[in-house]
Amino acid sequence: MIGVLKYIRGYVLIKVWGFAPERFLNLCSNKNILLWDIKKEDDIYYMYISLAGFRKLKGITRKTRTRVAILKRFGLPFLIPKIFARKVFIVGLFAACFFWFWSSLYVWEIRFEGNLAITEDVFLEFLDEKGIRVGVKSSGVDIEQLEKDIRREFPEITWTSAKLSGTSLIISVKESDAVLSPMQEQTFSDLYADKEGVVVSMIVRSGVPQVKIGDTVDMGTLLVSGSVPVYNEDATVRKYQYTRADADIYIERIEDVYETLPFDYIKKVYTGREKKKYYLEFSGKELILGGDVGFLNYDIVVSKKEVSLLKGLTLPVTFGTYLYREYQNVECSYTLEEAEYLLKEKYSAILADLEEKGVQIIEKNVKIDTSSGIWILQGELRVKEKIGYEVPIDEKIPENLPDAGTIEAE
């Protein structure tokens, strides 16, 4: 803190020599003139003294017949005149401060937190309809009204908070844990097959089963009907009651596997030649500095950085580089080991995708062969998986159920 005060008030490094420099030091002490870091070299003394103290030395140097010379100057009293002497610097400083102040009045970044089911694109489109977008004036954003509009537009959001932090608009939301899909909102539905195979297991929780274990079903086969008949005493159908068909039905089917790999392929071989271009982007407009790349084939590595003066104060300016890396296309051929490795990687990806979908693999019969100048991975997988997709009931008498007696729809 003392060092800061010294810098603000200003101080100098001086050297003192002459008839009685020791008496010079004593008189400074008697007049409460602070001297520090005093060093002696031969008959010359070096020391630091405040600017105010230096101005009081005239009478002391006359009495002691000593001489004083300034070696270095420190502090704001010496810095400010130098700054104001540079007019271009002053103009640039004021322009930068004005730009900083002006940019802080606008929203240059919109961030979302907590959204999972609702994508940022949906949010941005909604905000755009409300006149809120990057570049809008911060004073024009009504936070309280925005929160109300979000809750009104998106019923699945149970809580929302919006705030302005610097030049950033931060919208935090919490979505309902039980967001209903359009199908879940539908009360009545039938269950149809979305794959073909042999039914090996079924548990029906609601609805009327239309198939049994051992049946072969095709795509579009009605598995469980949501139309439940109510019978008269004479076993005729009096009416139908409707429900949501709910069942776990598993089939066994054959999954064909067929992957190919050509003998020859094009490989990128980088030459080591690179060219870098700098670019500046302001409010969506991009300026690229540099001439033609001069490469026939090249990859581009983009490096971008936003300008952020302080935390929360993001400016509409992005700068970075485009790095162009030249390569040549070289024709190569796969070896047997390379082909087997790549095909097995594809095969493993197929198995992983099936397992991720809940498909149980019962039997594998796959091999690698060559034909017509390509490597081929082909075969069959016997799999077991759950099937069924719901189709809403339009609450009319199903055509595929027998019509008997007088029927009433309910």
Side-chain angles (χ1 to χ4, degrees):
M1 186 64 184
I2 295 176
V4 174
L5 292 175
K6 289 179 180 178
Y7 188 84
I8 293 175
R9 295 174 180 175
Y11 61 97
V12 293
L13 172 63
I14 62 175
K15 71 175 182 178
V16 180
W17 75 99
F19 179 73
E22 291 81 4
R23 189 183 175 205
F24 171 88
L25 299 177
N26 292 331
L27 289 177
C28 287
S29 177
N30 292 335
K31 292 183 176 292
N32 293 323
I33 298 174
L34 179 63
L35 305 174
W36 68 93
D37 289 348
I38 302 174
K39 297 178 182 179
K40 181 181 179 184
E41 294 182 4
D42 297 330
D43 293 330
I44 301 175
Y45 287 82
Y46 297 90
M47 65 202 72
Y48 291 93
I49 183 173
S50 66
L51 185 58
F54 180 79
R55 290 169 178 160
K56 300 177 182 178
L57 295 182
K58 188 173 181 180
I60 297 175
T61 56
R62 187 172 58 250
K63 289 180 182 180
T64 58
R65 289 186 288 175
T66 55
R67 300 180 64 185
V68 177
I70 297 176
L71 301 180
K72 288 185 180 179
R73 298 172 174 83
F74 305 91
L76 290 180
F78 304 106
L79 179 62
I80 292 176
K82 292 181 180 179
I83 293 176
F84 280 96
R86 294 172 171 83
K87 297 180 180 180
V88 175
F89 174 79
I90 296 299
V91 172
L93 180 62
F94 277 103
C97 293
F98 173 78
F99 177 75
W100 188 356
F101 172 76
W102 171 81
S103 63
S104 66
L105 301 177
Y106 295 82
V107 174
W108 299 116
E109 181 186 27
I110 300 178
R111 295 206 312 264
F112 302 96
E113 298 175 352
N115 58 307
L116 297 175
I118 306 174
T119 63
E120 291 190 5
D121 290 339
V122 174
F123 266 127
L124 290 173
E125 184 177 350
F126 163 74
L127 293 176
D128 189 66
E129 293 176 356
K130 299 297 180 181
I132 301 174
R133 59 186 65 88
V134 172
V136 71
K137 222 172 184 180
S138 302
S139 59
V141 180
D142 188 338
I143 296 297
E144 186 176 350
Q145 185 61 43
L146 176 60
E147 293 175 347
K148 292 180 181 179
D149 291 340
I150 292 175
R151 288 193 293 269
R152 187 183 303 113
E153 180 71 17
F154 305 99
E156 58 269 41
I157 293 178
T158 58
W159 174 86
T160 181
S161 172
K163 66 178 181 179
L164 287 167
S165 177
T167 59
S168 300
L169 173 62
I170 304 173
I171 299 176
S172 303
V173 299
K174 183 177 182 181
E175 299 171 345
S176 173
D177 294 333
V179 180
L180 295 179
S181 67
M183 191 67 254
Q184 289 174 312
E185 295 176 358
Q186 175 58 241
T187 305
F188 310 129
S189 62
D190 294 328
L191 195 65
Y192 286 85
D194 53 350
K195 298 284 179 66
E196 58 181 31
V198 179
V199 179
V200 294
S201 172
M202 61 186 299
I203 299 175
V204 180
R205 285 179 286 273
S206 63
V208 181
Q210 302 297 304
V211 296
K212 60 183 182 299
I213 295 176
D215 287 354
T216 300
V217 298
D218 298 321
M219 291 183 61
T221 299
L222 178 63
L223 302 175
V224 179
S225 173
S227 304
V228 182
V230 179
Y231 294 94
N232 295 313
E233 293 181 358
D234 58 355
T236 59
V237 178
R238 182 169 62 88
K239 62 181 180 180
Y240 283 95
Q241 293 181 340
Y242 299 98
T243 185
R244 175 176 173 266
D246 185 15
D248 293 334
I249 300 177
Y250 290 85
I251 63 168
E252 283 189 8
R253 64 178 183 86
I254 299 299
E255 175 80 15
D256 293 323
V257 176
Y258 186 82
E259 293 288 341
T260 62
L261 190 70
F263 284 160
D264 301 324
Y265 68 98
I266 301 299
K267 180 180 179 181
K268 288 183 179 180
V269 177
Y270 290 95
T271 64
R273 296 174 61 195
E274 296 179 348
K275 186 171 182 178
K276 183 181 290 187
K277 289 186 179 182
Y278 295 91
Y279 80 94
L280 181 68
E281 183 178 342
F282 180 80
S283 295
K285 297 181 179 179
E286 189 176 71
L287 174 64
I288 300 177
L289 305 177
D292 294 335
V293 177
F295 301 152
L296 181 61
N297 300 308
Y298 54 85
D299 286 337
I300 303 176
V301 180
V302 182
S303 174
K304 292 188 176 183
K305 184 176 178 61
E306 292 183 340
V307 177
S308 181
L309 301 180
L310 296 172
K311 185 178 180 181
L313 184 58
T314 303
L315 301 182
V317 179
T318 304
F319 67 93
T321 60
Y322 285 108
L323 179 62
Y324 300 85
R325 302 174 59 200
E326 184 188 34
Y327 67 84
Q328 294 180 348
N329 291 322
V330 179
E331 187 172 338
C332 302
S333 298
Y334 289 114
T335 64
L336 175 60
E337 292 77 12
E338 290 174 336
E340 287 182 345
Y341 174 79
L342 293 174
L343 288 173
K344 286 179 180 178
E345 286 288 307
K346 292 185 176 183
Y347 180 48
S348 297
I350 293 173
L351 297 181
D353 183 59
L354 290 174
E355 291 176 357
E356 185 178 348
K357 295 177 180 177
V359 178
Q360 180 183 349
I361 300 171
I362 301 173
E363 184 181 345
K364 305 173 185 176
N365 183 20
V366 179
K367 62 180 181 179
I368 297 176
D369 198 358
T370 59
S371 176
S372 303
I374 58 175
W375 298 93
I376 300 177
L377 172 72
Q378 63 180 345
E380 296 178 342
L381 301 174
R382 182 176 293 277
V383 301
K384 177 182 177 181
E385 66 176 310
K386 182 180 177 181
I387 62 169
Y389 67 96
E390 296 183 39
V391 176
I393 298 176
D394 57 3
E395 300 191 30
K396 66 181 181 180
I397 302 172
E399 297 179 357
N400 60 327
L401 294 180
D403 183 10
T406 302
I407 298 177
E408 300 176 4
E410 182 178 278

